[in-house]
Amino acid sequence: AQWSLWLGAAFSLAKIAAGLAGNSRAALADGIESACDTANSLILLAGLGVSIRPPDHDHPYGHERAESITAILLASVLVFAGLATALSVFVAGWTPAAPPAAWTIWPILIALPVKALLASWKSRLAERTDSTSLRSEGFNDAADVLSGVIAAGGILLANFGTPGWLIADRVA
């Protein structure tokens, strides 16, 4: 689980740095989303740590509800990140003056197969342990693969499409 956190943090930093340095809203947004995933992984680990505790005097039926609260927190972080990213596009404007640097696609492309493997691993582990939080994390990693493909497509279209496609990086 720790290596998953470190990978997520490294990918988020690489994507954010690429987005800022290479003028790519798609890479920046994907990096922010990856940073939220890293925060969610920390929340997940904390929630699972609480939920597996045995019953005690204050909680005679156990701590299993902590996992439901964890799942709600995970969803809240993602909703906030999505709204913040959408708002930043409206504030910054839709049409960029120049396409993003083509190299900004590389951190996204490198992360895609890793996220796909993580999605598969977390989903299998969630089935084995019947963990709602882990299931939502696996689903989120699978959704990250889709959003990464869309971000990469936006960068490609902005760079290699007609001038009208400059907006693709912003929309992605």
mmCIF file with all atom_site columns, all heavy atoms in Angstrom, residues 97-118:
data_model
loop_
_atom_site.group_PDB
_atom_site.id
_atom_site.type_symbol
_atom_site.label_atom_id
_atom_site.label_alt_id
_atom_site.label_comp_id
_atom_site.label_asym_id
_atom_site.label_entity_id
_atom_site.label_seq_id
_atom_site.pdbx_PDB_ins_code
_atom_site.Cartn_x
_atom_site.Cartn_y
_atom_site.Cartn_z
_atom_site.occupancy
_atom_site.B_iso_or_equiv
_atom_site.pdbx_formal_charge
_atom_site.auth_seq_id
_atom_site.auth_comp_id
_atom_site.auth_asym_id
_atom_site.auth_atom_id
_atom_site.pdbx_PDB_model_num
ATOM 1   N N   . ALA A 1 97  ? -3.508 30.842 -25.870 1.00 0.00 ? 97  ALA A N   1
ATOM 2   C CA  . ALA A 1 97  ? -2.808 31.571 -26.927 1.00 0.00 ? 97  ALA A CA  1
ATOM 3   C C   . ALA A 1 97  ? -1.944 30.633 -27.768 1.00 0.00 ? 97  ALA A C   1
ATOM 4   O O   . ALA A 1 97  ? -1.725 30.874 -28.948 1.00 0.00 ? 97  ALA A O   1
ATOM 5   C CB  . ALA A 1 97  ? -1.940 32.669 -26.314 1.00 0.00 ? 97  ALA A CB  1
ATOM 6   N N   . ALA A 1 98  ? -1.448 29.572 -27.150 1.00 0.00 ? 98  ALA A N   1
ATOM 7   C CA  . ALA A 1 98  ? -0.561 28.632 -27.840 1.00 0.00 ? 98  ALA A CA  1
ATOM 8   C C   . ALA A 1 98  ? -0.861 27.217 -27.341 1.00 0.00 ? 98  ALA A C   1
ATOM 9   O O   . ALA A 1 98  ? -1.390 27.044 -26.249 1.00 0.00 ? 98  ALA A O   1
ATOM 10  C CB  . ALA A 1 98  ? 0.894  28.986 -27.552 1.00 0.00 ? 98  ALA A CB  1
ATOM 11  N N   . PRO A 1 99  ? -0.513 26.214 -28.153 1.00 0.00 ? 99  PRO A N   1
ATOM 12  C CA  . PRO A 1 99  ? -0.742 24.839 -27.694 1.00 0.00 ? 99  PRO A CA  1
ATOM 13  C C   . PRO A 1 99  ? 0.202  24.498 -26.540 1.00 0.00 ? 99  PRO A C   1
ATOM 14  O O   . PRO A 1 99  ? 1.254  25.120 -26.377 1.00 0.00 ? 99  PRO A O   1
ATOM 15  C CB  . PRO A 1 99  ? -0.421 23.992 -28.928 1.00 0.00 ? 99  PRO A CB  1
ATOM 16  C CG  . PRO A 1 99  ? 0.471  24.831 -29.760 1.00 0.00 ? 99  PRO A CG  1
ATOM 17  C CD  . PRO A 1 99  ? 0.079  26.258 -29.490 1.00 0.00 ? 99  PRO A CD  1
ATOM 18  N N   . PRO A 1 100 ? -0.159 23.498 -25.747 1.00 0.00 ? 100 PRO A N   1
ATOM 19  C CA  . PRO A 1 100 ? 0.745  23.075 -24.688 1.00 0.00 ? 100 PRO A CA  1
ATOM 20  C C   . PRO A 1 100 ? 1.978  22.405 -25.301 1.00 0.00 ? 100 PRO A C   1
ATOM 21  O O   . PRO A 1 100 ? 1.936  21.966 -26.455 1.00 0.00 ? 100 PRO A O   1
ATOM 22  C CB  . PRO A 1 100 ? -0.090 22.061 -23.896 1.00 0.00 ? 100 PRO A CB  1
ATOM 23  C CG  . PRO A 1 100 ? -1.071 21.532 -24.886 1.00 0.00 ? 100 PRO A CG  1
ATOM 24  C CD  . PRO A 1 100 ? -1.377 22.684 -25.806 1.00 0.00 ? 100 PRO A CD  1
ATOM 25  N N   . ALA A 1 101 ? 3.034  22.350 -24.543 1.00 0.00 ? 101 ALA A N   1
ATOM 26  C CA  . ALA A 1 101 ? 4.226  21.642 -25.019 1.00 0.00 ? 101 ALA A CA  1
ATOM 27  C C   . ALA A 1 101 ? 3.872  20.167 -25.215 1.00 0.00 ? 101 ALA A C   1
ATOM 28  O O   . ALA A 1 101 ? 3.198  19.563 -24.375 1.00 0.00 ? 101 ALA A O   1
ATOM 29  C CB  . ALA A 1 101 ? 5.364  21.791 -24.015 1.00 0.00 ? 101 ALA A CB  1
ATOM 30  N N   . ALA A 1 102 ? 4.302  19.603 -26.329 1.00 0.00 ? 102 ALA A N   1
ATOM 31  C CA  . ALA A 1 102 ? 3.949  18.219 -26.663 1.00 0.00 ? 102 ALA A CA  1
ATOM 32  C C   . ALA A 1 102 ? 4.475  17.230 -25.614 1.00 0.00 ? 102 ALA A C   1
ATOM 33  O O   . ALA A 1 102 ? 3.851  16.197 -25.358 1.00 0.00 ? 102 ALA A O   1
ATOM 34  C CB  . ALA A 1 102 ? 4.473  17.861 -28.048 1.00 0.00 ? 102 ALA A CB  1
ATOM 35  N N   . TRP A 1 103 ? 5.592  17.537 -24.984 1.00 0.00 ? 103 TRP A N   1
ATOM 36  C CA  . TRP A 1 103 ? 6.177  16.614 -24.005 1.00 0.00 ? 103 TRP A CA  1
ATOM 37  C C   . TRP A 1 103 ? 5.332  16.471 -22.738 1.00 0.00 ? 103 TRP A C   1
ATOM 38  O O   . TRP A 1 103 ? 5.548  15.545 -21.953 1.00 0.00 ? 103 TRP A O   1
ATOM 39  C CB  . TRP A 1 103 ? 7.597  17.031 -23.635 1.00 0.00 ? 103 TRP A CB  1
ATOM 40  C CG  . TRP A 1 103 ? 7.714  18.425 -23.074 1.00 0.00 ? 103 TRP A CG  1
ATOM 41  C CD1 . TRP A 1 103 ? 8.013  19.558 -23.764 1.00 0.00 ? 103 TRP A CD1 1
ATOM 42  C CD2 . TRP A 1 103 ? 7.500  18.817 -21.718 1.00 0.00 ? 103 TRP A CD2 1
ATOM 43  N NE1 . TRP A 1 103 ? 8.002  20.640 -22.935 1.00 0.00 ? 103 TRP A NE1 1
ATOM 44  C CE2 . TRP A 1 103 ? 7.696  20.218 -21.658 1.00 0.00 ? 103 TRP A CE2 1
ATOM 45  C CE3 . TRP A 1 103 ? 7.177  18.146 -20.553 1.00 0.00 ? 103 TRP A CE3 1
ATOM 46  C CZ2 . TRP A 1 103 ? 7.566  20.938 -20.484 1.00 0.00 ? 103 TRP A CZ2 1
ATOM 47  C CZ3 . TRP A 1 103 ? 7.047  18.873 -19.377 1.00 0.00 ? 103 TRP A CZ3 1
ATOM 48  C CH2 . TRP A 1 103 ? 7.251  20.255 -19.355 1.00 0.00 ? 103 TRP A CH2 1
ATOM 49  N N   . THR A 1 104 ? 4.357  17.355 -22.538 1.00 0.00 ? 104 THR A N   1
ATOM 50  C CA  . THR A 1 104 ? 3.527  17.265 -21.328 1.00 0.00 ? 104 THR A CA  1
ATOM 51  C C   . THR A 1 104 ? 2.682  15.992 -21.302 1.00 0.00 ? 104 THR A C   1
ATOM 52  O O   . THR A 1 104 ? 2.143  15.625 -20.258 1.00 0.00 ? 104 THR A O   1
ATOM 53  C CB  . THR A 1 104 ? 2.594  18.488 -21.182 1.00 0.00 ? 104 THR A CB  1
ATOM 54  O OG1 . THR A 1 104 ? 1.748  18.584 -22.333 1.00 0.00 ? 104 THR A OG1 1
ATOM 55  C CG2 . THR A 1 104 ? 3.399  19.765 -21.022 1.00 0.00 ? 104 THR A CG2 1
ATOM 56  N N   . ILE A 1 105 ? 2.611  15.302 -22.430 1.00 0.00 ? 105 ILE A N   1
ATOM 57  C CA  . ILE A 1 105 ? 1.846  14.061 -22.494 1.00 0.00 ? 105 ILE A CA  1
ATOM 58  C C   . ILE A 1 105 ? 2.560  12.900 -21.791 1.00 0.00 ? 105 ILE A C   1
ATOM 59  O O   . ILE A 1 105 ? 1.917  11.955 -21.332 1.00 0.00 ? 105 ILE A O   1
ATOM 60  C CB  . ILE A 1 105 ? 1.528  13.698 -23.968 1.00 0.00 ? 105 ILE A CB  1
ATOM 61  C CG1 . ILE A 1 105 ? 0.400  12.678 -24.034 1.00 0.00 ? 105 ILE A CG1 1
ATOM 62  C CG2 . ILE A 1 105 ? 2.773  13.198 -24.689 1.00 0.00 ? 105 ILE A CG2 1
ATOM 63  C CD1 . ILE A 1 105 ? -0.122 12.444 -25.433 1.00 0.00 ? 105 ILE A CD1 1
ATOM 64  N N   . TRP A 1 106 ? 3.891  12.952 -21.680 1.00 0.00 ? 106 TRP A N   1
ATOM 65  C CA  . TRP A 1 106 ? 4.648  11.797 -21.184 1.00 0.00 ? 106 TRP A CA  1
ATOM 66  C C   . TRP A 1 106 ? 4.337  11.377 -19.744 1.00 0.00 ? 106 TRP A C   1
ATOM 67  O O   . TRP A 1 106 ? 4.176  10.172 -19.499 1.00 0.00 ? 106 TRP A O   1
ATOM 68  C CB  . TRP A 1 106 ? 6.148  11.998 -21.401 1.00 0.00 ? 106 TRP A CB  1
ATOM 69  C CG  . TRP A 1 106 ? 6.478  11.840 -22.849 1.00 0.00 ? 106 TRP A CG  1
ATOM 70  C CD1 . TRP A 1 106 ? 6.822  12.810 -23.726 1.00 0.00 ? 106 TRP A CD1 1
ATOM 71  C CD2 . TRP A 1 106 ? 6.396  10.628 -23.602 1.00 0.00 ? 106 TRP A CD2 1
ATOM 72  N NE1 . TRP A 1 106 ? 6.980  12.284 -24.981 1.00 0.00 ? 106 TRP A NE1 1
ATOM 73  C CE2 . TRP A 1 106 ? 6.723  10.942 -24.932 1.00 0.00 ? 106 TRP A CE2 1
ATOM 74  C CE3 . TRP A 1 106 ? 6.082  9.314  -23.287 1.00 0.00 ? 106 TRP A CE3 1
ATOM 75  C CZ2 . TRP A 1 106 ? 6.749  9.986  -25.934 1.00 0.00 ? 106 TRP A CZ2 1
ATOM 76  C CZ3 . TRP A 1 106 ? 6.104  8.356  -24.290 1.00 0.00 ? 106 TRP A CZ3 1
ATOM 77  C CH2 . TRP A 1 106 ? 6.437  8.704  -25.594 1.00 0.00 ? 106 TRP A CH2 1
ATOM 78  N N   . PRO A 1 107 ? 4.229  12.277 -18.792 1.00 0.00 ? 107 PRO A N   1
ATOM 79  C CA  . PRO A 1 107 ? 3.866  11.797 -17.447 1.00 0.00 ? 107 PRO A CA  1
ATOM 80  C C   . PRO A 1 107 ? 2.506  11.097 -17.416 1.00 0.00 ? 107 PRO A C   1
ATOM 81  O O   . PRO A 1 107 ? 2.315  10.138 -16.670 1.00 0.00 ? 107 PRO A O   1
ATOM 82  C CB  . PRO A 1 107 ? 3.836  13.074 -16.601 1.00 0.00 ? 107 PRO A CB  1
ATOM 83  C CG  . PRO A 1 107 ? 4.663  14.055 -17.339 1.00 0.00 ? 107 PRO A CG  1
ATOM 84  C CD  . PRO A 1 107 ? 4.523  13.711 -18.794 1.00 0.00 ? 107 PRO A CD  1
ATOM 85  N N   . ILE A 1 108 ? 1.604  11.546 -18.262 1.00 0.00 ? 108 ILE A N   1
ATOM 86  C CA  . ILE A 1 108 ? 0.277  10.925 -18.328 1.00 0.00 ? 108 ILE A CA  1
ATOM 87  C C   . ILE A 1 108 ? 0.392  9.523  -18.919 1.00 0.00 ? 108 ILE A C   1
ATOM 88  O O   . ILE A 1 108 ? -0.164 8.556  -18.383 1.00 0.00 ? 108 ILE A O   1
ATOM 89  C CB  . ILE A 1 108 ? -0.690 11.798 -19.147 1.00 0.00 ? 108 ILE A CB  1
ATOM 90  C CG1 . ILE A 1 108 ? -0.896 13.146 -18.456 1.00 0.00 ? 108 ILE A CG1 1
ATOM 91  C CG2 . ILE A 1 108 ? -2.021 11.087 -19.367 1.00 0.00 ? 108 ILE A CG2 1
ATOM 92  C CD1 . ILE A 1 108 ? -1.586 14.198 -19.305 1.00 0.00 ? 108 ILE A CD1 1
ATOM 93  N N   . LEU A 1 109 ? 1.123  9.403  -20.038 1.00 0.00 ? 109 LEU A N   1
ATOM 94  C CA  . LEU A 1 109 ? 1.258  8.101  -20.693 1.00 0.00 ? 109 LEU A CA  1
ATOM 95  C C   . LEU A 1 109 ? 1.991  7.087  -19.809 1.00 0.00 ? 109 LEU A C   1
ATOM 96  O O   . LEU A 1 109 ? 1.655  5.897  -19.827 1.00 0.00 ? 109 LEU A O   1
ATOM 97  C CB  . LEU A 1 109 ? 1.986  8.255  -22.027 1.00 0.00 ? 109 LEU A CB  1
ATOM 98  C CG  . LEU A 1 109 ? 1.232  9.009  -23.122 1.00 0.00 ? 109 LEU A CG  1
ATOM 99  C CD1 . LEU A 1 109 ? 2.075  9.111  -24.384 1.00 0.00 ? 109 LEU A CD1 1
ATOM 100 C CD2 . LEU A 1 109 ? -0.111 8.364  -23.407 1.00 0.00 ? 109 LEU A CD2 1
ATOM 101 N N   . ILE A 1 110 ? 2.958  7.535  -19.055 1.00 0.00 ? 110 ILE A N   1
ATOM 102 C CA  . ILE A 1 110 ? 3.689  6.626  -18.163 1.00 0.00 ? 110 ILE A CA  1
ATOM 103 C C   . ILE A 1 110 ? 2.786  6.142  -17.024 1.00 0.00 ? 110 ILE A C   1
ATOM 104 O O   . ILE A 1 110 ? 2.854  4.983  -16.603 1.00 0.00 ? 110 ILE A O   1
ATOM 105 C CB  . ILE A 1 110 ? 4.959  7.318  -17.620 1.00 0.00 ? 110 ILE A CB  1
ATOM 106 C CG1 . ILE A 1 110 ? 5.958  7.519  -18.764 1.00 0.00 ? 110 ILE A CG1 1
ATOM 107 C CG2 . ILE A 1 110 ? 5.591  6.512  -16.481 1.00 0.00 ? 110 ILE A CG2 1
ATOM 108 C CD1 . ILE A 1 110 ? 7.107  8.451  -18.435 1.00 0.00 ? 110 ILE A CD1 1
ATOM 109 N N   . ALA A 1 111 ? 1.911  7.008  -16.551 1.00 0.00 ? 111 ALA A N   1
ATOM 110 C CA  . ALA A 1 111 ? 1.034  6.648  -15.436 1.00 0.00 ? 111 ALA A CA  1
ATOM 111 C C   . ALA A 1 111 ? -0.091 5.705  -15.842 1.00 0.00 ? 111 ALA A C   1
ATOM 112 O O   . ALA A 1 111 ? -0.604 4.958  -14.995 1.00 0.00 ? 111 ALA A O   1
ATOM 113 C CB  . ALA A 1 111 ? 0.454  7.915  -14.811 1.00 0.00 ? 111 ALA A CB  1
ATOM 114 N N   . LEU A 1 112 ? -0.511 5.719  -17.106 1.00 0.00 ? 112 LEU A N   1
ATOM 115 C CA  . LEU A 1 112 ? -1.681 4.941  -17.531 1.00 0.00 ? 112 LEU A CA  1
ATOM 116 C C   . LEU A 1 112 ? -1.586 3.439  -17.224 1.00 0.00 ? 112 LEU A C   1
ATOM 117 O O   . LEU A 1 112 ? -2.496 2.893  -16.592 1.00 0.00 ? 112 LEU A O   1
ATOM 118 C CB  . LEU A 1 112 ? -1.966 5.166  -19.011 1.00 0.00 ? 112 LEU A CB  1
ATOM 119 C CG  . LEU A 1 112 ? -2.580 6.509  -19.371 1.00 0.00 ? 112 LEU A CG  1
ATOM 120 C CD1 . LEU A 1 112 ? -2.718 6.647  -20.888 1.00 0.00 ? 112 LEU A CD1 1
ATOM 121 C CD2 . LEU A 1 112 ? -3.924 6.696  -18.703 1.00 0.00 ? 112 LEU A CD2 1
ATOM 122 N N   . PRO A 1 113 ? -0.521 2.735  -17.638 1.00 0.00 ? 113 PRO A N   1
ATOM 123 C CA  . PRO A 1 113 ? -0.503 1.291  -17.342 1.00 0.00 ? 113 PRO A CA  1
ATOM 124 C C   . PRO A 1 113 ? -0.373 1.003  -15.844 1.00 0.00 ? 113 PRO A C   1
ATOM 125 O O   . PRO A 1 113 ? -0.912 0.012  -15.357 1.00 0.00 ? 113 PRO A O   1
ATOM 126 C CB  . PRO A 1 113 ? 0.710  0.773  -18.122 1.00 0.00 ? 113 PRO A CB  1
ATOM 127 C CG  . PRO A 1 113 ? 1.544  1.968  -18.408 1.00 0.00 ? 113 PRO A CG  1
ATOM 128 C CD  . PRO A 1 113 ? 0.615  3.142  -18.458 1.00 0.00 ? 113 PRO A CD  1
ATOM 129 N N   . VAL A 1 114 ? 0.311  1.872  -15.130 1.00 0.00 ? 114 VAL A N   1
ATOM 130 C CA  . VAL A 1 114 ? 0.445  1.686  -13.680 1.00 0.00 ? 114 VAL A CA  1
ATOM 131 C C   . VAL A 1 114 ? -0.916 1.811  -13.012 1.00 0.00 ? 114 VAL A C   1
ATOM 132 O O   . VAL A 1 114 ? -1.291 0.995  -12.156 1.00 0.00 ? 114 VAL A O   1
ATOM 133 C CB  . VAL A 1 114 ? 1.455  2.693  -13.089 1.00 0.00 ? 114 VAL A CB  1
ATOM 134 C CG1 . VAL A 1 114 ? 1.521  2.571  -11.577 1.00 0.00 ? 114 VAL A CG1 1
ATOM 135 C CG2 . VAL A 1 114 ? 2.836  2.487  -13.699 1.00 0.00 ? 114 VAL A CG2 1
ATOM 136 N N   . LYS A 1 115 ? -1.694 2.834  -13.409 1.00 0.00 ? 115 LYS A N   1
ATOM 137 C CA  . LYS A 1 115 ? -3.031 3.010  -12.841 1.00 0.00 ? 115 LYS A CA  1
ATOM 138 C C   . LYS A 1 115 ? -3.937 1.836  -13.200 1.00 0.00 ? 115 LYS A C   1
ATOM 139 O O   . LYS A 1 115 ? -4.767 1.417  -12.393 1.00 0.00 ? 115 LYS A O   1
ATOM 140 C CB  . LYS A 1 115 ? -3.659 4.323  -13.339 1.00 0.00 ? 115 LYS A CB  1
ATOM 141 C CG  . LYS A 1 115 ? -3.145 5.537  -12.623 1.00 0.00 ? 115 LYS A CG  1
ATOM 142 C CD  . LYS A 1 115 ? -3.594 5.499  -11.176 1.00 0.00 ? 115 LYS A CD  1
ATOM 143 C CE  . LYS A 1 115 ? -3.433 6.843  -10.527 1.00 0.00 ? 115 LYS A CE  1
ATOM 144 N NZ  . LYS A 1 115 ? -3.979 6.849  -9.174  1.00 0.00 ? 115 LYS A NZ  1
ATOM 145 N N   . ALA A 1 116 ? -3.796 1.299  -14.395 1.00 0.00 ? 116 ALA A N   1
ATOM 146 C CA  . ALA A 1 116 ? -4.605 0.143  -14.793 1.00 0.00 ? 116 ALA A CA  1
ATOM 147 C C   . ALA A 1 116 ? -4.283 -1.067 -13.916 1.00 0.00 ? 116 ALA A C   1
ATOM 148 O O   . ALA A 1 116 ? -5.193 -1.782 -13.465 1.00 0.00 ? 116 ALA A O   1
ATOM 149 C CB  . ALA A 1 116 ? -4.378 -0.178 -16.266 1.00 0.00 ? 116 ALA A CB  1
ATOM 150 N N   . LEU A 1 117 ? -3.018 -1.287 -13.650 1.00 0.00 ? 117 LEU A N   1
ATOM 151 C CA  . LEU A 1 117 ? -2.618 -2.395 -12.775 1.00 0.00 ? 117 LEU A CA  1
ATOM 152 C C   . LEU A 1 117 ? -3.114 -2.183 -11.346 1.00 0.00 ? 117 LEU A C   1
ATOM 153 O O   . LEU A 1 117 ? -3.583 -3.128 -10.693 1.00 0.00 ? 117 LEU A O   1
ATOM 154 C CB  . LEU A 1 117 ? -1.096 -2.570 -12.790 1.00 0.00 ? 117 LEU A CB  1
ATOM 155 C CG  . LEU A 1 117 ? -0.505 -3.118 -14.080 1.00 0.00 ? 117 LEU A CG  1
ATOM 156 C CD1 . LEU A 1 117 ? 1.018  -3.050 -14.051 1.00 0.00 ? 117 LEU A CD1 1
ATOM 157 C CD2 . LEU A 1 117 ? -0.967 -4.553 -14.308 1.00 0.00 ? 117 LEU A CD2 1
ATOM 158 N N   . LEU A 1 118 ? -3.014 -0.944 -10.851 1.00 0.00 ? 118 LEU A N   1
ATOM 159 C CA  . LEU A 1 118 ? -3.511 -0.644 -9.511  1.00 0.00 ? 118 LEU A CA  1
ATOM 160 C C   . LEU A 1 118 ? -5.020 -0.857 -9.416  1.00 0.00 ? 118 LEU A C   1
ATOM 161 O O   . LEU A 1 118 ? -5.520 -1.378 -8.410  1.00 0.00 ? 118 LEU A O   1
ATOM 162 C CB  . LEU A 1 118 ? -3.168 0.793  -9.122  1.00 0.00 ? 118 LEU A CB  1
ATOM 163 C CG  . LEU A 1 118 ? -1.726 1.064  -8.706  1.00 0.00 ? 118 LEU A CG  1
ATOM 164 C CD1 . LEU A 1 118 ? -1.504 2.565  -8.523  1.00 0.00 ? 118 LEU A CD1 1
ATOM 165 C CD2 . LEU A 1 118 ? -1.382 0.318  -7.441  1.00 0.00 ? 118 LEU A CD2 1
#
